[in-house]
Amino acid sequence: AQKITQTQPGMFVQEKEAVTLDCTYDTSDPSYGLFWYKQPSSGEMIFLIYQGSYDQQNATEGRYSLNFQKARKSANLVISASQLGDSAMYFCAMREGRYGNKLVFGAGTILRVKS
Amino acid sequence: NAGVTQTPKFRILKIGQSMTLQCTQDMNHNYMYWYRQDPGMGLKLIYYSVGAGITDKGEVPNGYNVSRSTTEDFPLRLELAAPSQTSVYFCASSPTAGGAFFGQGTRLTVV
């Protein structure tokens, strides 16, 4: 069963605007972690942001924030003030259980920032 | 500050050959992972390990084997390479709770 769903294969955003990348997940475990990674064209995987299922506040890291809606099982990534360097593939990932050992990924969303 | 190191970066194998992809981490992480990424696709978990001596299958383990004799090293063995194993392979490590740190990847082509 698909655990992580990213429904947007590709997105465009104008430079300096905000963009939301969607992620929904499926788990029956009350304890889990959600992650976002960035993969630029060079291929490396860059960790961006983490949200724990028991965290009361939405996670933020600089221009990245995670819009966590637990009841809807969604964990959307919001990038504010987009920059040309934000053009990349973005992956949502989930780890189940407090000390869950499997980290599984969604199919990804390609983001292109236009100048 | 090396992090996760994978070798080699590139490799071409002939059908039926075998090889080992090396992965080592210097962060004393318990968890280590091997993923493959086919062109334009997400990452599929091949095998993972929660500590030395403990490994388990992921989503796509067929055609691969792993071992974890030390905390630092987690090699991935390909036996009898097939064209379907042409992919980019990523090794990653993580602490018990938290995000995973990835190596630079190994681009493998089987011809």
Side-chain angles (χ1 to χ4, degrees):
Chain A
Q2 183 72 25
K3 293 280 191 177
I4 296 282
T5 302
Q6 295 180 252
T7 57
Q8 306 154 313
M11 292 278 288
F12 284 96
V13 64
Q14 196 67 38
E15 194 177 10
K16 300 181 185 177
E17 292 185 349
V19 63
T20 298
L21 306 183
D22 294 340
C23 174
T24 58
Y25 59 91
D26 181 28
T27 182
S28 57
D29 196 318
S31 177
Y32 50 91
L34 297 157
F35 306 82
W36 278 91
Y37 285 82
K38 174 184 179 181
Q39 187 178 43
S41 58
S42 52
E44 71 264 37
M45 293 290 288
I46 302 167
F47 168 66
L48 295 178
I49 197 167
Y50 164 78
Q51 179 85 41
S53 60
Y54 294 120
D55 293 343
Q56 296 298 312
Q57 305 276 355
N58 285 346
T60 61
E61 289 287 347
R63 292 186 300 110
Y64 304 108
S65 60
L66 200 152
N67 183 3
F68 181 46
Q69 298 187 41
K70 197 168 183 176
R72 297 180 60 188
K73 293 189 174 179
S74 74
N76 299 339
L77 177 70
V78 181
I79 305 174
S80 63
S82 296
Q83 302 171 356
L84 294 177
D86 293 334
S87 293
M89 177 76 93
Y90 288 82
F91 292 103
C92 181
M94 179 177 69
R95 192 180 204 166
E96 293 175 284
R98 177 168 171 77
Y99 300 112
N101 35 34
K102 286 187 186 179
L103 182 63
V104 292
F105 284 77
T109 296
I110 299 175
L111 177 66
R112 291 286 177 254
V113 180
K114 301 184 290 184
S115 59
Chain B
N1 192 3
V4 179
T5 302
Q6 290 183 236
T7 56
K9 288 186 171 50
F10 303 92
R11 183 71 186 267
I12 298 174
L13 274 183
K14 293 185 178 179
I15 294 171
Q17 286 185 322
S18 300
M19 76 164 293
T20 299
L21 280 65
Q22 301 292 344
C23 177
T24 187
Q25 52 97 4
D26 62 0
M27 296 174 281
N28 201 33
H29 287 164
N30 288 326
Y31 294 173
M32 294 188 76
Y33 310 86
W34 275 106
Y35 293 90
R36 61 174 286 171
Q37 185 180 28
D38 297 333
M41 306 292 284
L43 280 74
K44 295 292 186 185
L45 182 63
I46 304 171
Y47 271 96
Y48 64 98
S49 169
V50 301
I54 306 169
T55 63
D56 206 349
K57 296 177 181 179
E59 302 164 281
V60 289
N62 291 345
Y64 307 94
N65 276 301
V66 293
S67 60
R68 183 100 181 266
S69 57
T70 66
T71 299
E72 295 79 19
D73 300 308
F74 190 40
L76 176 72
R77 178 85 177 159
L78 278 72
E79 305 281 1
L80 298 175
S84 61
Q85 293 177 305
T86 293
S87 191
V88 178
Y89 290 83
F90 286 99
C91 178
S93 74
S94 75
T96 306
F101 296 85
F102 282 77
Q104 293 296 304
T106 296
R107 188 174 298 273
L108 176 68
T109 302
V110 182
V111 297

